Amino acid sequence: MQFRKLLNLLLICFILVLFNGCYLIKQGIYLIRYNSRARPFEAILKDPDTEEKIRSFLKLAQEIRAFAIDSVGLVKNDNYSRMVEINNDYIAVFVSAAQKLSFEQYKWCFPVLGCIPYKGFFELEDAKKEAGKLSGKGYDVDISTVDAFSTLGFFSDPLYSYMADYKVFSLASLIIHEQTHATIYLKGQAQFNEELATYIGNKGALEFIKGKYGEDSEEYRNAICASRDRQAYGSIMKKLVKDLDQIYQSNESPESKMEKKQQTINAFRQNIKNNYDSIFETSNYRNLGNMKINNASLAVWMTYTFDVDLFEQLYRKKGSSLRDLMDYIGTFKKHKGDPKVHIREFIDKRA
């Protein structure tokens, strides 16, 4: 086991040096540093000094991981069998950018990953520098923290101590989301990869909670309320994107488009503030009316969730079985072209 980990580290270092330097090397050093601090769950659970909160967290994570493998059909590996003690409440910072008058995203290209519409950093100041460069070039820019990401099998991804504060749905959706990436990742298909992982993460979390606590449990009722709120959030965000896109596609001057863009975003914020309780059931989106909204942040949202309804249709066509859905998606490793085209053809043939 230790020899295999060493080989992985050497492979990562070789790739980083081979494919251009400073950025990848610096982030790789942070990644290796975190990975080297990860302790196996078994060792933490056997430690008499481990607090009960952490014990409960790790045991729950083990159940979720087993569910992801056995019931969802995700890959069985060493992911989420270790934990890193960390003082932050996030692990990395992502930068994204888009045109000011369209949702066309700026993309970074990397080995293995292909071209993706975000760039990750372990240091906030590094992310701010990158964002400043892009802002200076005239892009809308967004900086957001992330609590986990997948290394796609190069490392065994750990959990982090701050996750002990997560509610069961958040923890389950996170683990299943990232393990979906570890199971299948199509190079150059960032939106498909993220939408699939978002759908499987959320649907899998609901099924895990239902199985563990029961349909009549408070945990499941809360998860269903949160699920309805995600749907409501998706609906209002799609409308905002549609309204803005109509402005961008118009024949008006750039100056007029910029003015109407800001007016539309301001009206969206005010509507959330005035009507929050009639739109949402939970407090999960309470800060939405005050959040920074621009084309970069909206494009990121679209990357993760814009077309998740397609996967719900596929789920139903596959007999409401996540395992069967993932088995079907696994065949895409051999396909070329847009994977969503294959899904839509499959759904239409069986409509």
Side-chain angles (χ1 to χ4, degrees):
M1 180 66 72
Q2 291 302 320
F3 179 68
R4 183 168 66 84
K5 289 180 181 178
L6 178 59
L7 285 179
N8 280 343
L9 294 180
L10 292 174
L11 176 61
I12 284 288
C13 291
F14 172 75
I15 291 173
L16 295 177
V17 172
L18 183 64
F19 288 95
N20 184 22
C22 294
Y23 164 75
L24 291 177
I25 289 175
K26 184 173 183 179
Q27 308 315 312
I29 289 171
Y30 275 102
L31 189 59
I32 291 169
R33 185 183 302 166
Y34 280 124
N35 215 270
S36 66
R37 287 166 44 194
R39 296 177 63 202
F41 284 5
E42 291 79 4
I44 300 173
L45 291 170
K46 289 179 181 177
D47 188 340
D49 293 329
T50 297
E51 59 181 302
E52 188 56 37
K53 176 181 175 181
I54 296 296
R55 291 182 186 278
S56 298
F57 160 58
L58 297 185
K59 289 176 182 178
L60 178 60
Q62 288 176 320
E63 290 184 55
I64 295 167
R65 181 174 175 273
F67 173 85
I69 295 167
D70 299 335
S71 298
V72 186
L74 302 185
V75 64
K76 183 177 182 180
N77 55 22
D78 292 334
N79 283 355
Y80 311 119
S81 60
R82 302 177 304 142
M83 188 191 80
V84 178
E85 287 281 350
I86 187 173
N87 293 325
N88 286 347
D89 59 358
Y90 64 91
I91 185 58
V93 186
F94 275 21
V95 176
S96 59
Q99 298 287 343
K100 285 188 177 294
L101 291 176
S102 82
F103 294 110
E104 181 183 349
Q105 292 175 287
Y106 185 94
K107 292 186 178 181
W108 293 265
C109 296
F110 302 102
V112 181
L113 298 177
C115 296
I116 56 176
Y118 37 73
K119 188 174 184 180
F121 299 87
F122 284 99
E123 288 290 341
L124 179 59
E125 287 306 311
D126 291 338
K128 288 181 177 179
K129 288 178 183 177
E130 182 77 6
K133 293 176 184 177
L134 291 164
S135 182
K137 294 179 180 179
Y139 289 94
D140 273 356
V141 178
D142 182 64
I143 299 177
S144 57
T145 58
V146 294
D147 49 6
F149 57 86
S150 173
T151 58
L152 306 181
F154 283 106
F155 290 102
S156 57
D157 300 325
L159 295 179
Y160 297 89
S161 53
Y162 55 77
M163 296 175 182
D165 293 324
Y166 287 9
K167 293 180 179 179
V168 60
F169 180 87
S170 296
L171 181 63
S173 61
L174 182 149
I175 291 174
I176 298 170
H177 178 116
E178 300 303 340
Q179 198 65 358
T180 301
H181 284 316
T183 303
I184 182 168
Y185 185 92
L186 302 184
K187 186 176 180 179
Q189 296 287 347
Q191 185 159 351
F192 171 83
N193 293 326
E194 295 300 352
E195 287 174 341
L196 171 66
T198 295
Y199 178 79
I200 298 296
N202 290 342
K203 179 66 76 172
L206 280 175
E207 292 191 2
F208 171 77
I209 292 171
K210 182 179 178 180
K212 179 176 174 60
Y213 300 101
E215 273 189 274
D216 296 328
S217 65
E218 182 179 357
E219 290 84 356
Y220 187 67
R221 288 196 299 271
N222 289 341
I224 290 295
C225 288
S227 179
R228 287 197 291 262
D229 271 7
R230 279 192 303 278
Q231 293 175 350
Y233 175 69
S235 295
I236 62 174
M237 293 297 281
K238 281 187 176 181
K239 183 179 186 307
L240 175 60
V241 167
K242 182 179 178 180
D243 291 345
L244 290 172
D245 195 50
Q246 287 178 344
I247 294 170
Y248 303 152
Q249 297 298 325
S250 73
N251 294 323
E252 297 188 40
S253 68
E255 293 78 14
S256 176
K257 291 180 182 180
M258 287 295 292
E259 182 178 353
K260 289 189 175 181
K261 168 188 176 181
Q262 197 55 53
Q263 289 173 349
T264 301
I265 292 173
N266 289 343
F268 172 84
R269 286 199 185 99
Q270 195 58 50
N271 177 57
I272 297 299
K273 292 177 181 178
N274 293 343
N275 301 292
Y276 184 90
D277 291 332
S278 63
I279 300 172
F280 298 110
E281 299 178 46
T282 71
S283 61
N284 293 348
Y285 298 92
R286 184 67 68 179
N287 293 327
L288 180 58
N290 297 316
M291 288 176 62
K292 178 181 178 181
I293 299 173
N294 62 24
N295 287 354
S297 61
L298 291 171
V300 168
W301 171 79
M302 287 190 281
T303 297
Y304 278 78
T305 63
F306 192 79
D307 218 10
V308 292
D309 290 346
L310 180 65
F311 296 99
E312 176 64 21
Q313 294 176 51
L314 179 60
Y315 172 75
R316 293 173 183 172
K317 291 294 181 181
K318 283 294 181 179
S320 298
S321 167
L322 287 178
R323 175 177 279 278
D324 288 349
L325 185 156
M326 285 302 301
D327 285 345
Y328 171 71
I329 293 294
T331 66
F332 289 5
K333 295 176 182 179
K334 301 177 182 179
H335 292 330
K336 294 182 179 179
D338 186 347
K340 291 184 185 179
V341 171
H342 296 294
I343 293 175
R344 290 190 176 98
E345 289 176 349
F346 176 84
I347 291 172
D348 290 343
K349 285 179 181 178
R350 291 158 175 77

